[in-house]
Amino acid sequence: MVRSRMSLAAGALLLAASLGLTACGDSGSGDEGADAKTLRLWHYEGPTSAMGVAWAKAIELFKASHPGVEVKVEEKSFDQIQKNAGMILNSDSAPDILEYNKGNATAGLLSKQGLLTDLTAESGRRGWDKALSPSLQTTTRYDDDGIMGSGKTFGVPNYGEYVMVYYNKDLFAKHKVAVPTTLAEFEAVLDTFVRAGVTPLSVGGADYPAQQIFYELVLAKADRAFVDDFQLYKNKVDFHGPAFTFGAQTFADWVRKGYLAKNSAGIKADDMGVAFTQGKFPIVISGSWWYGRFSSEIKNFAWGTFLFPGNTLHPGSSGNLWVVPTRSKAKSLAYDFIDITMRPEVQSLLGNTGGVPVSADAGQITDAKNKELIENFAKISSSDGLAFYPDWPAPGYYDVMVGGVQGLINGARTPAQMLDEVAKPYQDNLADLGK
């Protein structure tokens, strides 16, 4: 899962200019960098998001337990880290710990390149492995080819995430529509808004949101075997089979029917979310990472959520990972910080500010809506319903998926052409892996 935050383009240029020597694998050491006096930490969470709030608390607790250690926190944009991570982590500018996206194309690729510290032993010593369910651990472990699900532990999440439907209750009431329970009912709701001259979906086609809608439609015709084949390479994937064909054709139909605006191809995720908070659209389909922000920013209407109607599989996984670069100069401090993010007080804060903690005490979650958010994630996770994200399977696949779905939005690609476009780099990656 991916999402943009504050852009620091100038910083990216400076980082790109300061390359170092090639990194090599590292198994980690419990006391490496224990005498360091600075911890450099990067993340891309907004200050009002649940993760941003919880991590600010974790930093406060870290400082209290590590007197004399300076914590240098740098907020980066997701795009900056996504596009430059390999170069940055292979340089003297590498931070000591950072938030990084999970999956084969991101954390898996960096682990294969030897740029991330092996956390397996540390995870066992500190009990992180026991705090994470088996399904959540899928994204923390990568084999020698950088494929998730087995091998060594290279990252630790302290929250989960999943895609859902956010809706404006006031607009639903005004147009006399109810929360749908099937895809057909959902399309009937969307038709009602269109007939009233209202574009129902706020969509960000220039970033991750549009491709996640496409993937939700694919998953409407998919099963666990499909997900394992697509994400874990267990068997060959037919990009013109029933699931992908339904997803691409239905998405194109949604554009034709006016469910989303054609200018959505150029809309960024943040602008999509802001438009929803302003009440300009009745629906936005996106991830749980928006929940805390919507809770704090929506003031003028009632809102709620529901799972994508009819699906048993949903885009989702563990949250992004805390990873420790091989070139970190304060690994011991980095491990201490990860440990603090797993503490009960930080986990409870995550849950009470709209996040999905991985090991919180449910009795400590006081808000009814937040409990519903966490319970829905538990329902999906316990039923093996987490289907990961469409951009994960291959390096560079994020941009491929963005471009492919943009082609459906602006009419530059037919569904068949779009599927050909996203199939080729996936199949090229399989060939590179000898699969």
Side-chain angles (χ1 to χ4, degrees):
M1 174 330 283
V2 291
R3 49 211 192 273
S4 297
R5 294 291 183 243
M6 203 182 303
S7 176
L8 296 175
L13 292 174
L14 289 172
L15 291 170
S18 58
L19 294 178
L21 300 174
T22 301
C24 57
D26 192 309
S27 61
S29 170
D31 59 358
E32 187 172 355
D35 58 349
K37 297 302 179 186
T38 302
L39 178 71
R40 296 180 62 223
L41 184 154
W42 290 5
H43 71 79
Y44 45 82
E45 303 299 339
T48 63
S49 71
M51 285 71 71
V53 170
W55 295 349
K57 179 65 174 179
I59 290 167
E60 176 189 319
L61 293 172
F62 178 90
K63 289 178 177 178
S65 60
H66 294 75
V69 175
E70 180 184 10
V71 182
K72 293 185 177 180
V73 181
E74 298 183 40
E75 290 185 12
K76 305 294 181 180
S77 73
F78 172 83
D79 286 341
Q80 178 182 341
I81 295 178
Q82 174 85 357
K83 297 182 188 307
N84 298 295
M87 183 168 53
I88 294 166
L89 299 194
N90 200 21
S91 76
D92 290 335
S93 297
D96 299 306
I97 182 173
L98 76 154
E99 174 190 12
Y100 196 58
N101 205 29
K102 62 277 173 197
N104 302 341
T106 45
L109 178 63
L110 295 192
S111 70
K112 179 182 177 181
Q113 293 172 338
L115 297 174
L116 301 181
T117 301
D118 175 5
L119 301 177
T120 307
E122 202 66 31
S123 179
R125 277 196 293 269
R126 295 179 182 254
W128 301 333
D129 54 348
K130 296 179 179 61
L132 301 172
S133 69
S135 62
L136 292 178
Q137 289 191 49
T138 300
T139 58
T140 70
R141 300 165 61 204
Y142 297 87
D143 65 17
D144 292 342
D145 288 324
I147 299 170
M148 66 182 181
S150 65
K152 300 172 182 175
T153 297
F154 286 98
V156 179
N158 68 315
Y159 69 99
E161 61 183 38
Y162 63 102
V163 173
M164 71 193 82
V165 183
Y166 295 87
Y167 72 106
N168 183 319
K169 290 185 175 182
D170 293 355
L171 288 177
F172 267 50
K174 177 181 177 180
H175 292 273
K176 298 180 173 59
V177 293
V179 171
T181 59
T182 66
L183 182 56
E185 289 179 0
F186 192 24
E187 290 184 327
V189 169
L190 301 177
D191 285 330
T192 298
F193 283 114
V194 170
R195 284 195 299 270
V198 177
T199 300
L201 298 177
S202 184
V203 175
D207 284 326
Y208 63 87
Q211 62 176 279
Q212 292 179 356
I213 297 174
F214 160 71
Y215 193 45
E216 286 275 23
L217 294 168
V218 171
L219 294 173
K221 298 296 182 181
D223 57 16
R224 173 52 57 185
F226 170 90
V227 173
D228 288 347
D229 292 346
F230 179 54
Q231 299 281 358
L232 305 180
Y233 315 141
K234 291 192 174 180
N235 294 288
K236 296 294 184 183
V237 174
D238 182 0
F239 280 83
H240 290 281
F244 273 118
T245 297
F246 179 82
Q249 185 60 61
T250 304
F251 191 97
D253 290 344
W254 281 21
V255 176
R256 177 179 55 81
K257 293 177 180 179
Y259 296 171
L260 61 152
K262 290 190 175 180
N263 70 352
S264 297
I267 300 296
K268 289 284 191 178
D270 196 65
D271 294 327
M272 171 200 76
V274 168
F276 180 71
T277 65
Q278 293 173 341
K280 294 179 179 179
F281 294 86
I283 298 169
V284 65
I285 301 171
S286 197
S288 51
W289 49 89
W290 284 100
Y291 201 95
R293 180 171 173 181
F294 288 166
S295 294
S296 64
E297 295 183 8
I298 295 176
K299 306 296 185 184
N300 298 320
F301 60 88
W303 61 278
T305 67
F306 54 89
L307 294 178
F308 194 87
N311 279 22
T312 57
L313 294 165
H314 302 270
S317 71
S318 74
N320 290 323
L321 306 175
W322 287 118
V323 298
V324 179
T326 304
R327 298 182 71 137
S328 168
K329 301 176 180 67
K331 291 182 181 179
S332 181
L333 296 180
Y335 305 152
D336 287 351
F337 179 78
I338 294 172
D339 209 46
I340 288 172
T341 69
M342 303 294 275
R343 284 187 187 176
E345 59 263 51
V346 176
Q347 288 287 292
S348 295
L349 183 58
L350 256 174
N352 282 314
T353 51
V356 184
V358 295
S359 61
D361 177 356
Q364 298 301 310
I365 309 303
T366 57
D367 184 271
K369 288 179 72 172
N370 291 352
K371 283 187 176 180
E372 181 183 44
L373 175 77
I374 296 166
E375 287 168 357
N376 275 337
F377 180 77
K379 184 192 308 179
I380 296 171
S381 181
S382 63
S383 63
D384 199 23
L386 295 171
F388 313 119
Y389 295 96
D391 59 294
W392 281 14
Y397 213 44
Y398 175 80
D399 291 332
V400 171
M401 278 289 178
V402 169
V405 178
Q406 282 178 320
L408 292 179
I409 297 173
N410 59 31
R413 299 284 187 277
T414 66
Q417 289 170 334
M418 179 268 188
L419 293 175
D420 285 340
E421 184 176 324
V422 301
K424 187 178 186 305
Y426 180 92
Q427 291 160 348
D428 289 346
N429 180 58
L430 288 184
D432 290 343
L433 293 171
K435 295 184 179 293

